[in-house]
Amino acid sequence: MAEKIILVLGGARSGKSAFAQQLAQAAGKKVLYLATAFIQDEEMARRVAVHQSSRPADWDTLEAPHNLTAALKTKPDRYQAVLLDCVTLLLSGAFHPLDENIGEEAFTQEAERIMEDLMQAIDSRPESW
């Protein structure tokens, strides 16, 4: 499979993660799973447990709810696929500690910072996406 970025979109609980896992498995045996969930309640803990149990045991997992560039530096190996699950959780985890009264501009700036970090993380990888 050629090196590329595939963005899987869809509604909440529509099977995006399962579909992305199938794509990653088809890419090869050496897969890095980037888990971005910020567990803050029992429901999220259950959802994370379901995701964990659905992944092949031989995949590497990196818990990275924030600062992907720094987190990925701990995984210098080249992978056949890197699966980030999910951008929405990455953003919401960053917003969680913010004061809800800081205003739309501050939230927008934080979202831009997170997305810039994601792009830097992609650019820093040896997979040459």
Side-chain angles (χ1 to χ4, degrees):
M1 179 180 280
E3 295 170 339
K4 58 186 164 184
I5 296 175
I6 299 172
L7 179 63
V8 178
L9 301 172
R13 296 184 181 100
S14 63
K16 296 179 301 292
S17 294
F19 180 71
Q21 287 181 12
Q22 290 172 359
L23 290 174
Q25 259 183 317
K29 199 137 176 77
K30 191 165 179 155
V31 175
L32 174 61
Y33 187 97
L34 290 174
T36 64
F38 176 75
I39 300 172
Q40 56 189 347
D41 58 30
E42 288 182 29
E43 179 189 352
M44 181 57 80
R46 283 191 298 275
R47 289 176 58 197
V48 166
V50 167
H51 277 258
Q52 289 170 334
S53 68
S54 72
R55 291 194 297 268
D58 58 346
W59 284 11
D60 283 352
T61 297
L62 177 60
E63 302 286 337
H66 53 81
N67 200 349
L68 288 176
T69 302
L72 281 168
K73 287 180 181 176
T74 68
K75 297 288 188 182
D77 295 344
R78 182 178 166 84
Y79 292 89
Q80 293 166 316
V82 178
L83 193 161
L84 182 138
D85 193 359
C86 86
V87 172
T88 301
L89 292 177
L90 180 65
L91 286 167
S92 65
F95 294 155
H96 180 73
L98 298 178
D99 179 351
E100 63 187 43
N101 298 316
I102 64 172
E104 183 178 340
E105 185 175 333
F107 276 103
T108 300
Q109 289 173 351
E110 182 64 7
E112 288 172 354
R113 186 189 70 73
I114 296 300
M115 297 313 293
E116 286 172 9
D117 181 55
L118 174 57
M119 294 300 108
Q120 184 178 14
I122 290 170
D123 287 344
S124 72
R125 292 300 304 161
E127 290 81 13
S128 302
W129 295 326

